[in-house]
Amino acid sequence: MPPLRTALLQSSGRPGDVAGNLTALDEAAGRAAASGAGLLVCPELFLTGYAIGDDVPRLAEPADGASARAVADIAVRHGIAVLYGYPERHGEQIHNAAQLIGAEGQRLANYRKTHLFGCFEQKWFTPGDTPVVQAELAGLRIGIMICYDVEFPENVRAHALAGTDLLLVPTAQMHPFQFVAESLVPVRAFENQLYIAYVNRTGPEGEFEFVGLSCLAGPDGTVRARAGRGTELVTGDADPALLRASRENNPYLRDRRPALYHSLV
């Protein structure tokens, strides 16, 4: 299988402006596809903005809503799969969600953030209860989680044990926690023998200062692509051959002794 070129859209878009963010997504999808990418990953809550406060209920949509159809049109037009973050309305609940749309416009997976960070998220969102959500894309098993979720080692290990090859992590990672993007994410990729696409917002938004530093980290712990602090589109390859070789050489998952870990649960 050839590598899956993965594009990371580091941007905060225009908070509160869904139409404007769909336009930005369309433009980025065109540039990503022109570079040979088969997948475009956007940040957490890219569709609406993160620090939108009372607008969360107003802008929340069902997983099959108008914006999902608009993203599907973008994916088909440019021939590229898209992972985007949005507030999902599900009955009376609202979830911090991320949805993967295939290059033919099909909805491949929808994930609801399981670990909510801080008072803002805990006020507006209901946590999801499905830790491992996966889809198949270009011969790779794709997993999804959101921001704070990746900071729990049990979460990422669950994906590793379920066979995830490329873990997509849209995020809204803020100052002063940039060490997560710089250090923690590459280590997570190495200790679990998978790729992680960690895609952040950037710049000031409400009370937050997002730090950028989006990256694609490989199973060898090497960062294959890294953004700076501003709005940027970067690409890197998730290579099945490197993944296979790395898993053969790294004994972490083979040397586990699960019987010793009962106290963790």
Side-chain angles (χ1 to χ4, degrees):
M1 292 183 297
L4 174 61
R5 180 151 295 174
T6 303
L8 317 182
L9 175 58
Q10 179 169 285
S11 171
S12 287
R14 299 170 59 180
D17 183 359
V18 173
N21 293 329
L22 285 169
T23 297
L25 176 56
D26 191 14
E27 187 272 338
R31 287 196 289 138
S35 76
L39 171 63
L40 173 65
V41 185
C42 303
E44 182 176 3
L45 294 174
F46 179 75
L47 195 65
T48 59
Y50 183 88
I52 57 174
D54 294 345
D55 278 342
V56 169
R58 180 177 68 84
L59 296 177
E61 297 186 28
D64 60 354
S67 292
R69 294 191 293 273
V71 175
D73 289 343
I74 291 170
V76 171
R77 182 159 56 252
H78 298 291
I80 190 170
V82 177
L83 185 284
Y84 69 100
Y86 73 109
E88 180 197 355
R89 181 174 294 283
H90 181 70
E92 297 300 313
Q93 298 178 336
I94 299 175
H95 300 279
N96 184 339
Q99 183 153 234
L100 178 62
I101 304 290
E104 297 179 351
Q106 71 277 39
R107 293 171 54 225
L108 297 178
N110 189 69
Y111 171 78
R112 297 164 177 170
K113 189 173 186 178
T114 54
H115 296 77
L116 301 179
F117 179 79
C119 297
F120 168 73
E121 292 188 18
Q122 293 168 11
K123 175 180 179 180
W124 291 111
F125 298 111
T126 299
D129 56 9
T130 304
V132 177
V133 171
Q134 297 172 311
E136 300 296 322
L137 182 68
L140 293 175
R141 185 166 295 177
I142 307 296
I144 307 169
M145 60 177 55
I146 299 174
C147 197
Y148 194 39
D149 292 330
V150 80
E151 298 179 37
F152 292 81
E154 301 89 345
N155 257 18
V156 186
R157 181 51 55 88
H159 270 275
L161 296 177
T164 292
D165 299 312
L166 171 59
L167 182 61
L168 310 182
V169 188
T171 189
Q173 206 269 308
M174 58 199 68
H175 179 80
F177 305 112
Q178 50 265 34
F179 68 88
V180 173
E182 293 171 335
S183 302
L184 186 147
V185 168
V187 170
R188 285 280 181 274
F190 178 70
E191 68 190 5
N192 290 288
Q193 289 299 290
L194 41 69
Y195 282 93
I196 299 180
Y198 185 79
V199 186
N200 200 11
R201 305 180 69 81
T202 182
E205 188 179 331
E207 64 184 286
F208 307 109
E209 177 75 29
F210 299 115
V211 301
L213 301 174
S214 300
C215 67
L216 177 67
D220 56 357
T222 300
V223 173
R224 303 284 162 167
R226 169 76 77 186
R229 296 297 185 108
T231 298
E232 195 171 349
L233 182 72
V234 298
T235 60
D237 289 343
D239 185 353
L242 185 147
L243 184 63
R244 184 168 53 252
S246 184
R247 286 172 170 172
E248 289 175 356
N249 292 329
N250 188 303
Y252 280 155
L253 298 182
R254 293 192 301 272
D255 289 349
R256 292 174 65 251
R257 297 180 62 192
L260 300 181
Y261 313 145
H262 289 314
S263 62
L264 293 177
V265 294

